[in-house]
Amino acid sequence: MLKKPLIGLTLEQLRDITDSVGLRPFAAKQIASWLYVKRAKSISMMTDLPKEARQRLSDEYCIGLAEPKDAAVSADGTVKYLFEGVGGRDIEAVYIPDGERATLCVSSQAGCKMNCRFCMTGRHGFNGNLTANAIINQVLSIPQSRSLTNIVFMGMGEPLDNLQPVLNAIEILTAQWGLGWSPKRITVSSIGKLKELRTLLDTTKVHIAISLHNPFPAERADIMPVEKAYPLRDVISLLSNYDFSHQRRLSFEYIMWRDVNDSLRYAEALVRLIGRLDCRVNLIRFHAIPGSSLLPSTTAAMECFRDCLNDHGITATIRASRGEDIMAACGMLAGKSSQPEPAY
Ligand code: SF4
C-alpha cells in the first residue's frame, strides 16, 4: 500500500487522522510542529507521541518530503529546481536570491490550461493539479528552505485553477501551527478567475498580482484567451471593492512586446483602466520562446512606458530579469515530460 504524505495536511486534516491512530485531537498540533517547525524527517522522530501511535501512524502515513530531482544554477545565482510532478510532467520551482531577499517561485499545476500565447508552460498543455503536499514540498525540500523570505505563486500553472490546495498551502505557510509566516511575504499571481479570486481575497491576506499585459480587450484576448471568460474589466471591478492601501498589496504584471503593447497609447489606456486603484505595475521584459514571433521591447520603450505611468501617479518599475540562461525567467518554465514535446 502506498503511504499517504503528512506534509501538506492542515491542522484540521491532521485532527481527522489522530482519532484513527488512537491519539487525542490535541496531538494534531504536536504532529504539525514536527512537520512544519522541527521539520522531522521520519515519524519515529515524533518522540512526544506514544510509541504505539507512532507505529500506527507509520503503517499508513509517511512524512512525504521529496528532494528535487535536479537543479540548474544561473550565472546570477538563481537556481531552478525540478521536482516529480503529475501526469508525466515534472514541475519546476525557482529560487531567486537578491540581497537580503530570497524568493521562491512555486508551481501550482503541472502545465496550465490557460494557453497564454507567450508562455512556455501554457504551450505544453495541462497534465494535472498539484496537491498541497507537492506545493509545500517545493518550499521545505530545497537546501535554502530556512533562509527563504518570500514565496510567489508565479511558477507553472494558474493558482486559482487549483484553488483548494493553494489555500491549504497558504494556511500551512501562515498559521502559527505551521510555518508562521506573515501573509505579506506571499504573493499569488493570477489571470483573474473571478469566483476563485473573490474567495482568495476574502479568506487570505496575501498580496495579489494580476497578469494584465494589454489594456485593450480584443488585443488581450488575442494573447490571453482567458479574457473571453474573465474580462479584465470584471476583474478590476471586483478588485475595486477591496482595500489595497496598506497591509495588502495589489500589483499588475505587464510583459512588454516590441510594437505590440509598448507605445504610449497603451500606457495611457492602462492609466485609464487602473488609475483609480491603489496598485503598482511591474513591467517585465519578454523572454523569447521557441516558435513565437513576439519580440521583447527595447529598454528605451520600457523606460518611456514606466515614466508615463509614474507621471500619472501609478508606481511602475521594470522588473530585473533573473535566470534567463537556465530558462528560469518569467514565462519560460515548462518542466520535463515523459511524453513527446510539441513541435514548434
Ligand atoms: S502565463 Fe500563467 S496562466 Fe498563462 S499559460 Fe502561463 S502559467 Fe498559465
Side-chain angles (χ1 to χ4, degrees), residues 149-178:
T149 61
N150 295 77
I151 304 276
V152 293
F153 285 78
M154 293 186 185
M156 295 167 68
E158 160 56 49
L160 300 189
D161 195 36
N162 185 24
L163 184 65
Q164 196 54 54
V166 167
L167 289 178
N168 288 3
I170 291 170
E171 186 181 348
I172 291 164
L173 290 169
T174 55
Q176 282 315 308
W177 51 261

Side-chain angles (χ1 to χ4, degrees), residues 109 111-123 155-158 191 211 213 224 331:
Q109 297 181 306
C112 186
K113 295 181 207 154
M114 300 302 142
N115 205 18
C116 302
R117 259 183 57 204
F118 49 86
C119 170
M120 282 286 275
T121 307
R123 176 81 62 80
M156 295 167 68
E158 160 56 49
I191 46 79
S211 302
H213 310 318
M224 298 176 71

